Amino acid sequence: MEVVQEHVSAGCNRVVGALDWGGNDLVAYAAHNLVVLYDAEAAKILATMVGHTNRVNCIESLPIADDIAGISGAIASGAADNHVIIWLSHSNDPDKPWSIAAKLQGHTGAIIALSHVLVGDTLLLISSAEDQQVLVWECKLGSHQDDSKPYSQWNLQQKIEMGNGLQHCLAVTQLPDQPGWLLLALGGVDCTIRLLLAAPAGDFKQVCCLTGHADWVRSLAFTHLPPSQTDPNPGLGHVLLASASQDKYLRVWRIQPQATSRQPSSTSQEAPIDGSVAHDIARYAPKPQFSTPKRQYTAFLEALLVGHEDWVHSVQWQPQQPSHSPPQEPQPAQPLCLLSTSMDRTMMLWRPDSATGLWMCEESVGDAGANNLGYFTGCFSPDGSSIMAHGYTGALHLWKRPEGQGQGWVPGHALGGHYGAVVDMCWGVDGSCLLTASTDQTCRITVQNEGRWSELARPQVHGHDMSCLTYIPNSSCYVSGAEEKVLRVFQAPQAFTQTLAMALGQPPQPAANSGSHASQKPALGAAVAALGLSNKAVYADQVQDSNGGVASGMEGGSYTDGPDLAPNAMPAAVSGILICTKANT
């Protein structure tokens, strides 16, 4: 007998930074103490990697050296076990596709953030942890050309003590036109962004601070601007730093190089005087500055982005795509695009206006409904045509831009799963669907539809952690128990049985209508009353009220404005392909 893995589901951890979409087009996310590899196109989990002994908090995709054969992917993960693990994908070993290349030990607290930068053949990985330290790790990729274990030799290059300031996020980049000079940004609980500068083969030293946020800084992201023809210093690229905070705002900071070398402090604050009010204000307003032996840099606020209504958890710049223009023709600059993710259940895409330079929110995607509790981490696909986020309930949310359309995003199928421990499971409805119970206080039903597995329903959303469940044979009922020491029996209503039949490719069964009393008829659906704790059956004769409006199955009036405004809309079967796993809870 041969056993083949058919289906795996796991919810993403409820932390910022637990999701990343790597250059090999694979999504990696954290599921408790596992690192999960996910194929967004096939909506399928490819592998679950075991190595950490506590919850994984952050995921970072690493670049692949071209001269290392047999390696198709590299991932770094940090967890609450105080360790950073480097994972490698072996394309020439199908029996062992992923393995641990190195385990970095240096922190004494849970790892909360990771970032990397590639300088020549040297890969730097920077980690921040709850021990209020930032560690800089170094790996020489060029030294492993003939080594069977690449990415295995790491050296602790620097340990940065942050005092009493916990650093929630970090980002690192190279200065433009300054080979080997690195700029590190740290954001933490003191609402301040710290900039640290490192010379080639040198240590990071703090050079200035950026202030303005009124709450914790949760995410940072760098991008480089190409040289502009209108720039007073042509040939010098600028750096943009995006920051997200729990004060509901995003800030875009510009780090601008000057053409001249380092000047005395008495003239370093001066700006060209051309009679404009902006230059008059800039002349007397102090700006954070730092310098290298070659140039001096000024950091200032480029834009304050206002639009989210709750905490902003993450920001990411759209990846720069290679140009397909001939080399002799001028290369058009790719427009800037910034993705922000918030607990207000939306993801926004911000772009600067080409005429005025003002940053505007041009597009927004998300979930409607009060039962959805927002997103933690959002990211672009490597080609920038898709965006993905993970939400409060552990589900993945995917949107794609159709080919040939400049605007508009459509939702795509994404696999979800329990975000708490699964305590029991069983087959239901004669083996056509899978029932699972979890400590996330939900029971879920999963079916195979159109060749892939999808979450069809959450028949029970409880106020206590679930403990057990079982299906009653030859019926449409199941029994579940929770830590409240109560067993509850649930019966499938007509709307669900018809939806299940269509999902399995079967014709829906006609509704039974035996008996004159409502309790003798199968329920059309179920609803939960306001401030109620249990489902209440909704029967067909309760759907239409005396005023012709759509009723909720509960006592108390009509909703003539339509089912979208009713507290519990009219139950109905759902036909068609299941494209997502999101469900109102």
Side-chain angles (χ1 to χ4, degrees):
M1 181 179 65
E2 181 181 2
V3 178
V4 180
Q5 179 177 290
E6 178 68 22
H7 169 64
V8 179
S9 67
C12 189
N13 289 343
R14 195 183 296 170
V15 290
V16 179
L19 173 71
D20 194 20
W21 202 330
N24 55 358
D25 208 22
L26 288 182
V27 177
Y29 68 89
H32 193 51
N33 62 337
L34 305 178
V35 177
V36 177
L37 293 179
Y38 176 77
D39 187 347
E41 185 65 28
K44 182 178 181 180
I45 291 179
L46 303 179
T48 55
M49 301 183 293
V50 181
H52 291 288
T53 58
N54 210 328
R55 187 185 72 175
V56 179
N57 293 327
C58 48
I59 302 289
E60 180 80 4
S61 297
L62 302 179
I64 303 300
D66 298 333
D67 54 358
I68 300 179
I71 302 299
S72 59
I75 295 173
S77 60
D81 58 5
N82 310 343
H83 295 158
V84 177
I85 293 182
I86 308 300
W87 308 84
L88 288 185
S89 171
H90 304 273
S91 57
N92 54 2
D93 189 359
D95 296 332
K96 191 179 181 182
W98 286 85
S99 65
I100 297 177
K103 182 177 290 188
L104 311 183
Q105 304 179 21
H107 285 288
T108 58
I111 314 296
I112 55 178
L114 293 171
S115 184
H116 78 276
V117 62
L118 183 63
V119 183
D121 62 350
T122 301
L123 177 62
L124 292 182
L125 180 65
I126 305 175
S127 60
S128 176
E130 290 182 353
D131 58 8
Q132 299 173 8
Q133 293 181 344
V134 176
L135 302 186
V136 181
W137 307 87
E138 180 186 62
C139 179
K140 297 289 186 180
L141 301 182
S143 62
H144 298 296
Q145 294 181 3
D146 300 325
D147 193 354
S148 60
K149 296 182 179 180
Y151 295 84
S152 61
Q153 298 179 8
W154 291 80
N155 299 318
L156 179 58
Q157 185 180 16
Q158 184 183 2
K159 180 181 294 186
I160 306 173
E161 298 285 348
M162 302 307 302
N164 296 325
L166 180 65
Q167 305 303 307
H168 271 301
C169 54
L170 50 88
V172 62
T173 187
Q174 291 193 72
L175 289 178
D177 200 28
Q178 297 271 353
W181 284 86
L182 301 179
L183 185 63
L184 173 64
L186 303 175
V189 297
D190 59 355
C191 316
T192 301
I193 301 173
R194 293 173 171 83
L195 296 182
L196 291 81
L197 185 65
D203 292 341
F204 285 97
K205 298 181 180 179
Q206 182 171 323
V207 290
C208 62
C209 294
L210 306 179
T211 59
H213 283 296
D215 208 331
W216 293 1
V217 181
R218 300 307 304 268
S219 181
L220 296 168
F222 278 113
T223 190
H224 287 198
L225 285 178
S228 174
Q229 299 296 331
T230 60
D231 195 293
N233 303 315
L236 302 179
H238 295 190
V239 177
L240 291 185
L241 172 63
S243 60
S245 171
Q246 292 182 177
D247 61 7
K248 308 177 186 178
Y249 300 140
L250 296 97
R251 290 174 180 262
V252 179
W253 310 85
R254 181 185 289 264
I255 301 173
Q256 176 177 310
Q258 306 296 329
T260 58
S261 61
R262 184 175 182 179
Q263 301 293 331
S265 59
S266 60
T267 60
S268 60
Q269 301 291 344
E270 293 184 0
I273 300 177
D274 60 359
S276 67
V277 176
H279 280 89
D280 290 341
I281 296 176
R283 180 179 181 182
Y284 298 102
K287 297 179 180 179
Q289 293 186 350
F290 61 92
S291 61
T292 65
K294 187 177 180 180
R295 289 192 182 90
Q296 184 172 341
Y297 293 82
T298 302
F300 57 91
L301 181 64
E302 172 82 3
L304 175 64
L305 308 185
V306 181
H308 286 293
E309 298 177 354
D310 209 333
W311 293 356
V312 185
H313 273 155
S314 73
V315 287
Q316 188 183 62
W317 295 98
Q318 185 176 22
Q320 295 289 330
Q321 302 301 317
S323 176
H324 301 288
S325 302
Q328 63 273 13
E329 296 183 5
Q331 305 295 323
Q334 177 178 322
L336 292 173
C337 181
L338 180 65
L339 174 67
S340 61
T341 307
S342 172
M343 283 298 289
D344 64 2
R345 307 185 299 276
T346 63
M347 301 172 65
M348 293 185 176
L349 291 102
W350 308 80
R351 296 182 180 90
D353 183 72
S354 57
T356 63
L358 297 177
W359 286 78
M360 305 291 291
C361 176
E362 294 188 353
E363 296 174 294
S364 177
V365 299
D367 291 323
N371 292 327
N372 299 308
L373 298 177
Y375 306 124
F376 283 89
T377 310
C379 57
F380 279 101
S381 62
D383 61 359
S385 62
S386 302
I387 54 178
M388 179 177 287
H390 68 96
Y392 191 84
T393 59
L396 300 180
H397 305 261
L398 175 67
W399 286 269
K400 300 179 179 179
R401 189 185 297 278
E403 296 183 3
Q405 296 185 15
Q407 300 292 332
W409 297 83
V410 296
H413 178 86
L415 184 65
H418 289 285
Y419 61 92
V422 178
V423 295
D424 203 357
M425 60 188 303
C426 66
W427 292 101
V429 194
D430 298 328
S432 59
C433 63
L434 181 66
L435 283 78
T436 57
S438 169
T439 57
D440 62 7
Q441 303 180 355
T442 65
C443 292
R444 308 190 186 193
I445 296 178
T446 307
V447 299
Q448 191 174 19
N449 172 260
E450 298 292 332
R452 54 191 176 189
W453 290 82
S454 305
E455 181 183 318
L456 183 64
R458 298 182 186 179
Q460 186 177 5
V461 180
H462 208 49
H464 296 271
D465 294 354
M466 306 303 301
S467 301
C468 58
L469 86 164
T470 186
Y471 176 71
I472 301 178
N474 303 320
S475 71
S476 58
C477 301
Y478 80 91
V479 183
S480 67
E483 62 180 9
E484 61 175 339
K485 305 177 182 178
V486 175
L487 295 176
R488 300 176 186 270
V489 181
F490 292 84
Q491 182 181 21
Q494 296 178 21
F496 172 78
T497 56
Q498 295 177 2
T499 300
L500 176 62
M502 289 184 287
L504 299 176
Q506 303 171 0
Q509 298 296 325
N513 192 21
S514 61
S516 58
H517 192 269
S519 62
Q520 300 175 356
K521 303 177 183 178
L524 176 62
V528 180
L531 303 180
L533 298 177
S534 300
N535 297 346
K536 181 180 180 181
V538 177
Y539 297 94
D541 55 2
Q542 295 176 312
V543 170
Q544 297 294 332
D545 61 10
S546 59
N547 294 328
V550 180
S552 65
M554 302 297 167
E555 299 178 358
S558 61
Y559 296 89
T560 57
D561 292 328
D564 291 338
L565 299 181
N568 300 281
M570 179 182 67
V574 179
S575 61
I577 300 176
L578 302 177
I579 63 172
C580 60
T581 63
K582 293 172 284 186
N584 291 334
T585 58

